[in-house]
Amino acid sequence: MPLPSDRSPDPVSDVMRWGAFSCALVPFVLIISGASWAGAAGTAAGLAAVTGACRALLRQSERTAARIRVRETGRHRDQRAYVGMTAQGGGRHPEGRTPVD
């Protein structure tokens, strides 16, 4: 069992690497076992299509989870961990006035 420090920072990329490996390995095994080249090529194309669709679904799932996390925290944090200071609000006011003036 991997330790928490052994986890990949991008598990989707790990899954895609395994998918690409299987897209190459399965047709090779089919050819060795006597299947036709056309059948192996069709199988490779099908596996590549399924792998691509899975990648798209995994990325969409990550984006949805990130949006839910942002919604639950209530505010978006930028990379410097400042909360709530966006281009639409907060920050300096023109003419040197503050919101309470």
Side-chain angles (χ1 to χ4, degrees):
M1 182 165 156
L3 297 173
S5 62
D6 294 340
R7 289 187 183 164
S8 172
D10 189 13
V12 173
S13 292
D14 291 343
V15 171
M16 291 302 105
R17 276 193 287 269
W18 279 107
F21 175 71
S22 70
C23 288
L25 181 65
V26 169
F28 177 72
V29 170
L30 286 173
I31 290 170
I32 288 176
S33 66
S36 69
W37 284 87
T43 301
L47 285 172
V50 169
T51 302
C54 288
R55 179 181 187 272
L57 290 171
L58 284 168
R59 293 291 182 192
Q60 178 64 33
S61 175
E62 282 185 329
R63 287 191 296 270
T64 302
R67 279 195 300 266
I68 289 171
R69 263 183 268 137
V70 166
R71 220 178 296 145
E72 286 176 354
T73 60
R75 290 188 172 173
H76 178 71
R77 290 180 180 255
D78 70 2
Q79 292 178 351
R80 294 177 305 264
Y82 292 115
V83 178
M85 298 295 284
T86 64
Q88 290 83 22
R92 295 182 179 216
H93 295 274
E95 299 133 15
R97 296 180 14 201
T98 62
V100 292
D101 285 345

